[in-house]
Amino acid sequence: MISRRIACRSVAVLLAAVCVFPAEAAGATGAAAADPARPLAAAAEPAPPAAGPEAMLVPGVPPGPYQPWQTDTPDQVLPPTVYAPSTEEDAVEPRAATEGTYALVEYVPLGDAAAKVACSKRTGPYQRAVERWLKLRVDGKQSAADCRAVRAFQRQQRIKPAIGFAGPVTWARMQLLSARKNPNAAKKCPVRTYRIACVDLDRQVTWVQKGTKVVSGPVPMRSGRAGYRTRTGWHTIYWRHKNHWSTLYNNPMPYAQFFDGGQAFHAVYGSIYTTVGSMGCVNLTLADARTLWGALKKGDRVYVWGHRPGN
């Protein structure tokens, strides 16, 4: 009887530990107010994760500095207060990310994470897309052969845990690899003589092109979740703030480049592969946000199209 109670208590602790991230606590993921004097109650509440199998996934590797489960960088819900940063402020570079912050940690079912399975028997939310990419039989059902093929790809790309589950990180990595040679092969981003930041919501990648030449990227990104989607169409970068700070939740938004109201490109100090999207901004790793900062300037155009998968 005693051992049974201890076992139940251990399972309860495990569930509490691994279930907190997908919901993303409102205090950690809410939008940042533009005006410090604006009442907190006026801020929009975060949308819950979309229903479906993807919303039930958890990081397949235990929490650590590379994968904080309860923290995230919020986005602006309203346009920020625009001002000209001083030379001294712009001279300061945003703090570096903790080593391992952007590790490719796959999201897997809770049961697989708890049991530490070697090869998942479960059908992932990106099963068909992953099967198609690997040139397997596309039936949307996990098989032993599928698992072996997916696991081999995950090991090659250093995705952990490599258990053959077709999750969002595996899918995102495939999208990036496909886009690297010619991200605008489908010609969905308009070709102009001037620079355009192309934001592909379908594949969750972004790049900068001038004419037909890609001058930066493509790189992986995280766009807005259901209810807070990154707005499609033409936009213009109207304010750049290297050391932008969320006034509502007191969190950093490094290398922020605002292109539509409160929506901006900016870095996050956490995974960009979470199973729910941002609050509207285009989230990037610190290194990619820094590179994009050097590739764009105020007045440059941004073109957004598509639809974030799962939303």
Side-chain angles (χ1 to χ4, degrees), residues 20-29 46-47 49 69 71-72 222 225 274-277:
V20 293
F21 185 81
E24 295 192 350
T29 59
W69 284 1
T71 61
D72 196 4
R222 176 176 64 171
R225 67 184 70 179
T274 56
T275 57
V276 294

Side-chain angles (χ1 to χ4, degrees), residues 60 108-122 147 151 161-165:
V108 303
L110 176 59
D112 285 356
K116 298 181 179 179
V117 300
C119 204
S120 179
K121 296 180 180 180
R122 303 175 189 249
C147 186
R151 186 171 58 178
I163 61 172
F165 183 75

Side-chain angles (χ1 to χ4, degrees), residues 183-184 188-190 196-209 219-224 230-235 237 257 259 263-265 280-284 292 296 301-308:
N184 203 29
K188 292 188 177 182
C189 191
I196 299 176
C198 305
V199 181
D200 185 346
L201 303 182
D202 295 325
R203 295 183 293 175
Q204 293 291 287
V205 294
T206 187
W207 68 92
V208 179
Q209 64 184 34
V219 297
M221 67 177 212
R222 176 176 64 171
S223 66
T230 305
R231 291 183 283 274
T232 56
W234 282 104
H235 310 288
I237 294 177
Q257 301 190 73
F259 56 80
Q263 297 190 351
F265 295 105
C281 286
V282 175
N283 295 165
L284 303 163
L292 193 64
L296 296 174
R301 302 303 303 275
V302 178
Y303 187 74
V304 184
W305 75 95
H307 187 276
R308 177 181 167 84

Side-chain angles (χ1 to χ4, degrees), residues 21 59 61-73 95-107 158 160 169 220 222 252 254 266-274 283-290:
F21 185 81
V61 173
Y66 52 83
Q67 188 71 47
W69 284 1
Q70 298 186 55
T71 61
D72 196 4
T73 302
R95 66 176 174 84
T98 304
E99 184 178 357
T101 293
Y102 306 115
L104 298 176
V105 177
E106 184 58 277
Y107 287 74
R158 299 182 180 180
K160 297 180 180 180
V169 177
R222 176 176 64 171
H266 71 84
V268 292
Y269 289 106
S271 176
I272 60 171
Y273 301 111
T274 56
N283 295 165
L284 303 163
T285 68
L286 190 68
D288 290 341
R290 184 186 300 117

